[in-house]
Amino acid sequence: MEGMLGLLKIRVKRGINLAVRDSMSSDPYVVINYGTQKLKTRFVKRNCNPEWNEELTLSIQDPNIPITLTVFDKDTFTVDDQMGQAEIDIKPYIEAMQMGLENLPNGCAVKKVQPSRTNCLADESIVEWNGGKMTQDMRLRLKNVECGEVEILIQWIDIPGFKGLKSASIF
């Protein structure tokens, strides 16, 4: 926990039009990697549009270390098939958090991030104030696969006694 800035809560909402890896469908699950941390969702049987709605929490030491989301197809007798991956870019979110804004009206957009060649966004992503917290919805286009997107929501959690985002430098 040395050098931890705080926690990043990632709600893995759902998959959209994921690739077929079995005969007619797939049994998808998501793995999120950050440094040595590896978290995963449950698998959803025979569904290329799965609803996970699971929260995974990473302890963040350096916002410049990439967070990778990979979708796999669960197989019983063979190695699980990869169904694409995407990088979760938290830098725009952290920049918005570092503005120090508080007590905004619910749904207030703080920052808009457009899809580009340097990110995996499939659509515009908005950092907004909701229920006293800053959140960012993302729809990520999966790479290294013929089709598929994953929707997530990220939220920062400050931990008392740790550095926090104010000390984070983003490159």
Side-chain angles (χ1 to χ4, degrees):
M1 292 297 164
E2 183 82 20
M4 186 170 82
L5 299 173
L7 301 174
L8 184 71
K9 185 165 49 173
I10 302 171
R11 175 175 286 280
V12 181
K13 295 179 172 183
R14 66 187 186 121
I16 303 164
N17 193 30
L18 299 179
V20 172
R21 288 292 179 258
D22 294 333
S23 59
M24 300 286 283
S25 189
S26 292
D27 305 316
Y29 65 94
V30 171
V31 174
I32 294 181
N33 288 291
Y34 171 76
T36 60
Q37 298 174 70
K38 181 178 179 178
L39 306 169
K40 67 182 187 177
T41 65
R42 73 188 190 293
F43 77 94
V44 177
K45 213 165 189 41
R46 293 186 297 278
N47 196 331
C48 289
N49 293 291
E51 300 268 343
W52 291 289
N53 281 317
E54 289 187 39
E55 285 185 0
L56 306 174
T57 304
L58 297 170
S59 58
I60 303 295
Q61 293 82 24
D62 180 352
N64 298 299
I65 295 174
I67 300 171
T68 306
L69 177 148
T70 309
V71 181
F72 289 93
D73 170 46
K74 177 86 172 143
D75 287 328
T76 306
F77 301 110
T78 60
V79 176
D80 293 352
D81 302 312
Q82 189 168 318
M83 298 172 63
Q85 65 184 39
E87 193 170 296
I88 302 171
D89 183 5
I90 64 170
K91 291 178 192 140
Y93 177 77
I94 289 175
E95 289 168 359
M97 290 288 294
Q98 289 177 329
M99 290 180 197
L101 303 173
E102 291 182 11
N103 302 321
L104 299 171
N106 269 352
C108 180
V110 176
K111 186 176 189 96
K112 293 182 180 183
V113 185
Q114 299 299 323
S116 72
R117 292 175 185 240
T118 60
N119 64 37
C120 291
L121 294 175
D123 203 359
E124 178 179 77
S125 177
I126 298 174
V127 179
E128 65 183 7
W129 186 262
N130 275 315
K133 306 239 182 250
M134 197 82 72
T135 61
Q136 183 179 3
D137 263 309
M138 295 182 194
R139 196 167 86 219
L140 302 170
R141 180 172 288 120
L142 299 175
K143 300 185 295 188
N144 306 316
V145 68
E146 58 273 19
C147 59
E149 297 174 354
V150 175
E151 286 185 0
I152 64 169
L153 174 83
I154 63 173
Q155 179 185 325
W156 186 261
I157 302 169
D158 275 321
I159 303 296
F162 287 92
K163 291 180 182 179
L165 283 178
K166 298 196 179 19
S167 66
S169 60
I170 305 169
F171 297 101

